């Protein structure tokens, strides 16, 4: 039997998502995040899924991922691509190699590509030329995920045809952010998010769940931050320790807390696109279907060349590293069916603006 305190906190969280602010929302969110009771979690996930279905449709949207560079100038303490990792096997795809992967995404019928890299300082004009070439060849949305850059770079890429940008905030607490990111400041990340939204990108953000030093209160405040910024997409995955980082001996983020975070993010943000992240599929089993049942609605099959997939090692144990490029797209129907969702190959643009096609 569910605790009365749980049902009360969940009711207030639902009301907050509808715009009825409550004074106790932070404590309510922390309380809900902490639940490990099977009946309570099931109720939380049912509510999240119901909101997703009503606001976004009962569908699982596909985005084709191309990880085009593993070089990075940052030394984030949790990431295997950090510049201090001398064991990292670096690579950078050529424009032609990127375009070959995108042709496979198009052939699979997927209408969105996600171009992701470490913060390798790639030439802004070069990436703009790649974006223009993609747009000239294919009718698809382009999402970039290449980190913190100057506003002028973001503007150039938007003008070239980029539609969306992913930049996870990781934590909205300045002290925790500094502990996770050596020589980096939260204010810079927030400035980039401001620039991107100001330039008219559809913007995605998100957090890791469970890195060293993170508390339930941190996560609750992050979820509330999401509601104030009206992000179009929110990525939430567990922290997984990498053996070649300062956090090598830390405990991984738990699946239970990650799923609770996904569900509460859905309940409060309502119509954001929320992926069932690859990190959730890279643990002792594939938990992506659990995330879909908890309110997520996006999956990003990897179309990077098989020769480089293993080299993009943000965390260990990443799934689908040996399959031929794009082969995992064939598994998507089964994944959607397992979660009771329809497979959606469309662009699935932002639902935050009713004038934007979805």
């Amino acid at each position: 039997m569910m605790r009365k305190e749980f049902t009360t906190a969940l009711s207030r969280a639902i009301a907050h998502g509808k715009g009825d602010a409550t004074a106790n929302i932070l404590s309510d969110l922390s309380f809900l995040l902490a639940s490990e009771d099977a009946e309570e979690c099931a109720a939380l996930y049912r509510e999240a899924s119901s909101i997703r279905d009503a606001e976004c449709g009962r569908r699982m949207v596909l985005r084709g991922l191309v990880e085009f560079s593993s070089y990075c100038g940052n030394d984030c303490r949790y990431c295997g691509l950090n510049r201090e990792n001398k064991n990292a096997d670096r690579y950078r795809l050529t424009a032609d190699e990127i375009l070959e992967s995108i042709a496979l995404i198009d052939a699979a019928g997927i209408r969105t590509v996600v171009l992701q890299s470490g913060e390798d300082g790639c030439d802004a004009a070069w990436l703009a030329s790649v974006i223009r070439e993609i747009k000239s060849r294919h009718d698809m949305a382009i999402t970039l995920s290449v980190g913190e850059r100057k506003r002028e770079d973001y503007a150039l890429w938007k003008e070239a045809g980029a539609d969306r940008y992913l930049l996870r905030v990781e934590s909205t607490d300045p002290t925790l952010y500094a502990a996770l990111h050596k020589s980096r400041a939260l204010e810079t990340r927030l400035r980039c998010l401001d620039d991107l939204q100001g330039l008219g990108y559809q913007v995605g953000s998100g957090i890791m769940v469970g890195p060293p030093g993170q508390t339930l209160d941190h996560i609750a405040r992050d979820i509330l931050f999401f509601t104030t910024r009206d992000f179009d997409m929110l990525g939430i995955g567990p922290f997984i320790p990498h053996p070649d980082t300062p956090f090598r001996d830390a405990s991984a983020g738990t699946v239970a807390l990650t799923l609770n975070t996904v569900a509460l993010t859905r309940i409060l943000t309502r119509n954001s696109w929320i992926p069932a992240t690859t990190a959730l599929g890279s643990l002792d089993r594939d938990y992506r279907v659990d995330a879909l049942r908890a309110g997520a609605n996006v999956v990003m099959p990897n179309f990077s060349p098989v020769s480089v997939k293993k080299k993009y090692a943000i965390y260990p144990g990443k799934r689908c590293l040996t399959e031929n490029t794009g082969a995992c797209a064939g598994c998507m129907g089964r994944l959607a069916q397992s979660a009771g969702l329809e497979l959606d190959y469309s662009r699935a643009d932002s639902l935050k603006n009713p004038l934007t096609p979805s």
Side-chain angles (χ1 to χ4, degrees):
M1 184 174 180
M2 289 189 291
R3 293 169 291 174
K4 180 180 179 180
E5 297 91 340
F6 180 89
T7 56
T8 299
L10 180 55
S11 295
R12 286 198 291 246
I14 294 166
H16 194 90
K18 293 178 178 178
D20 299 327
T22 63
N24 297 321
I25 189 61
L26 271 174
S27 58
D28 286 338
L29 290 177
S30 294
F31 178 77
L32 294 167
L33 286 165
S35 179
E36 295 182 352
D37 178 84
E39 186 178 356
E40 291 177 349
C41 290
L44 179 65
Y45 304 158
R46 282 196 303 271
E47 186 61 42
S49 295
S50 176
I51 290 171
R52 176 204 56 213
D53 295 348
E55 297 282 348
C56 309
R58 195 175 180 83
R59 52 180 167 159
M60 185 186 93
V61 171
L62 299 182
R63 322 281 203 199
L65 176 65
V66 180
E67 297 160 332
F68 67 90
S69 174
S70 67
Y71 285 92
C72 191
N74 295 343
D75 45 11
C76 303
R77 293 180 171 91
Y78 54 85
C79 181
L81 301 187
N82 76 84
R83 68 185 183 192
E84 295 181 351
N85 180 8
K86 306 305 181 185
N87 295 323
D89 191 358
R90 309 290 181 175
Y91 72 92
R92 186 179 287 114
L93 298 183
T94 66
D96 285 342
E97 288 171 324
I98 293 171
L99 292 167
E100 287 172 8
S101 291
I102 289 170
L104 293 172
I105 294 171
D106 194 2
I110 298 172
R111 302 265 58 86
T112 295
V113 59
V114 180
L115 295 178
Q116 183 173 329
S117 73
E119 295 198 29
D120 71 346
C122 73
D123 179 67
W126 172 82
L127 185 53
S129 69
V130 173
I131 293 166
R132 292 190 189 98
E133 190 61 30
I134 295 170
K135 286 292 189 178
S136 72
R137 299 186 187 189
H138 307 286
D139 178 20
M140 61 173 56
I142 298 176
T143 303
L144 301 179
S145 180
V146 299
E148 297 177 0
R149 300 286 296 227
K150 298 181 296 184
R151 191 179 194 278
E152 297 94 308
D153 294 346
Y154 294 148
L156 175 63
W157 298 332
K158 188 71 172 62
E159 183 276 332
D163 303 279
R164 307 169 186 160
Y165 203 101
L166 305 181
L167 186 65
R168 296 209 314 194
V169 71
E170 301 300 8
S171 176
T172 56
D173 181 88
T175 302
L176 178 58
Y177 188 93
L180 299 175
H181 304 87
K182 187 176 178 181
S183 305
R184 311 292 285 184
L186 175 61
E187 62 182 320
T188 305
R189 185 61 54 108
L190 296 178
R191 187 269 301 166
C192 289
L193 290 168
D194 286 340
D195 288 345
L196 291 162
Q197 289 188 310
L199 287 165
Y201 280 91
Q202 297 173 39
V203 177
S205 194
I207 60 169
M208 284 183 299
V209 174
Q214 185 188 63
T215 65
L216 296 178
D217 183 72
H218 285 134
I219 299 173
R221 292 180 184 277
D222 291 338
I223 294 172
L224 288 182
F225 169 75
F226 298 154
T227 68
T228 67
R229 296 299 295 262
D230 221 18
F231 290 119
D232 304 287
M233 181 171 173
L234 290 162
I236 296 159
F239 161 71
I240 301 175
H242 191 289
D244 296 318
T245 68
F247 288 169
R248 63 179 65 86
D249 296 322
S251 298
T254 67
V255 172
L257 182 54
T258 302
L259 295 177
N260 288 357
T261 304
V262 167
L264 286 168
T265 298
R266 168 61 65 204
I267 288 169
L268 267 72
T269 66
R270 301 189 69 81
N271 63 352
S272 296
W273 297 109
I274 299 178
T277 60
T278 305
L280 273 169
S282 303
L283 301 169
D284 58 296
R285 70 169 177 84
D286 189 349
Y287 289 96
R288 289 180 298 174
V289 69
D290 301 82
L292 293 167
R293 291 170 179 163
N297 57 352
V298 175
V299 173
M300 297 194 287
N302 193 331
F303 283 81
S304 303
V306 67
S307 61
V308 303
K309 281 184 180 180
K310 290 183 179 180
K311 300 178 183 179
Y312 201 82
I314 295 175
Y315 50 81
K318 199 171 178 183
R319 67 178 294 107
C320 301
L321 295 181
T322 58
E323 288 88 346
N324 291 330
T325 303
C328 55
C331 303
M332 296 298 100
R334 292 191 295 275
L335 187 60
Q337 185 178 28
S338 296
L341 301 175
E342 295 293 325
L343 195 58
D344 188 339
Y345 289 83
S346 73
R347 286 172 53 109
D349 283 296
S350 173
L351 297 172
K352 299 297 183 180
N353 182 348
L355 299 179
T356 301
S358 60

